[in-house]
């Protein structure tokens, strides 16, 4: 699919425009990355990989919970999201994994193993990262992961493999499709409204819809059982979390994920949709912090 700018994208990301925007910025090999490294300076670092559309603001509630419990956090907006560059490249796991690896390296966070959290699409990126940088991770937390649905002949991802069709759909109905997707993520209508506003505001920057639809073309969201199986064989202490009312990655996939990932701990969060870190940050922290702490204590003892 050729790079395009949608009619609703009326802003440009430049060095000057970023001066008025929240967060920090760093030039990596593929482009500028929008990130925040915050929390207690002596805390264990939790690195977070987000889903298809979200900026780093998505993590704010969980970040606050983790800081209060002594952990340091590194959040970033994947290329094409938030205030990171809309790169004219292939948006796939290789790109997003390289972004995380370069970011942690440039920020000097490679001396001690990290705790990686991936949600939805970010779970696929996290598992790819884990395979390449096994020794850099102390724990892996997977939340409502994409990838376990079975491929369908009529699935949107198959249709988008055709460049001409993908371009047509993205240009004409991209924003409408995006809003429909966001509407399924969160149970609470008020939180859902805030989420939609947060995402769509960042999607006013040129190249945003292109980035999402190029990702849908090149990053498979179905039939990823082998990736889960290989991750389970890595031996990384793993925590699996899921919302019981997840309409995007349904709870029916939970047992399959458990069988493939072989997590040391798993938990279903009640009355929670697809975006548990955003919708139920305290519940996620309640599971994540003891899991991280137990691993840290074993390493220090």
């Amino acid at each position: 699919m050729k790079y395009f700018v949608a009619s609703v994208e009326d802003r440009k990301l430049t060095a000057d425009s970023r001066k008025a925007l929240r967060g920090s910025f760093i030039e990596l090999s593929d482009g500028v990355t929008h990130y925040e490294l915050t929390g207690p300076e002596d805390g264990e670092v939790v690195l977070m990989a987000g889903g298809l559309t979200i900026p780093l603001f998505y993590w704010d509630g969980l970040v606050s919970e983790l800081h209060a419990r002594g952990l340091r956090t590194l959040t970033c907006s994947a290329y094409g999201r938030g205030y990171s560059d809309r790169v004219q490249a292939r948006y796939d796991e290789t790109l997003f994994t390289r972004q995380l690896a370069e970011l942690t390296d440039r920020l000097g966070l490679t001396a001690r193993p990290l705790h990686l959290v991936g949600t939805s699409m970010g779970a696929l990126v996290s598992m790819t990262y884990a395979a390449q940088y096994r020794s850099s991770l102390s724990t892996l937390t997977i939340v409502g992961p994409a990838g376990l649905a079975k491929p369908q002949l009529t699935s949107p991802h198959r249709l988008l493999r055709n460049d001409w069709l993908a371009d047509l759909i993205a240009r004409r109905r991209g924003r409408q499709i995006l809003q429909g997707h966001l509407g399924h993520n969160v149970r609470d209508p008020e939180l859902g409204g805030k989420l939609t506003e947060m995402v769509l505001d960042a999607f006013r920057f040129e190249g945003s819809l292109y980035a999402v639809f190029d990702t849908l073309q090149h990053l498979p969201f179905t039939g990823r059982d082998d990736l889960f199986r290989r991750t389970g064989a890595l031996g990384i202490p793993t925590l699996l979390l899921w919302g019981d009312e997840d309409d995007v990655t349904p709870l029916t996939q939970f047992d399959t994920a458990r069988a493939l990932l072989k997590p040391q701990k798993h938990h279903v969060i009640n009355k929670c949709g697809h975006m548990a870190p955003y919708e139920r940050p305290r519940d996620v922290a309640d599971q994540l912090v003891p899991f991280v702490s137990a691993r840290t204590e074993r390493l220090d003892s």
Side-chain angles (χ1 to χ4, degrees), residues 54-120:
I54 59 172
L56 61 78
F57 319 126
Y58 165 88
W59 299 102
D60 284 356
L62 180 58
V63 161
S64 295
E65 291 285 345
L66 297 184
H67 289 175
R69 305 181 200 204
L71 294 173
R72 192 160 171 77
T73 58
L74 174 58
T75 58
C76 69
S77 298
Y79 291 122
R81 287 83 180 161
Y83 305 146
S84 288
D85 273 353
R86 276 62 174 149
V87 297
Q88 296 186 41
R90 186 184 180 99
Y91 282 85
D92 58 12
E93 287 153 89
T94 300
L95 175 71
F96 299 130
T97 298
R98 183 167 60 243
Q99 183 184 23
L100 293 180
E102 290 183 357
L103 180 61
T104 54
D105 180 59
R106 288 285 302 279
L107 295 178
L109 299 177
T110 56
R112 187 175 175 88
L114 303 165
H115 304 275
L116 178 57
V117 178
T119 180
S120 195

Side-chain angles (χ1 to χ4, degrees), residues 16-39:
D16 285 339
S17 67
R18 283 188 170 106
K19 291 176 183 177
L21 300 175
R22 168 186 154 180
S24 301
F25 302 92
I26 189 169
E27 180 86 44
L28 303 178
S29 65
D30 294 289
V32 173
T33 288
H34 172 220
Y35 77 94
E36 289 184 342
L37 176 61
T38 51

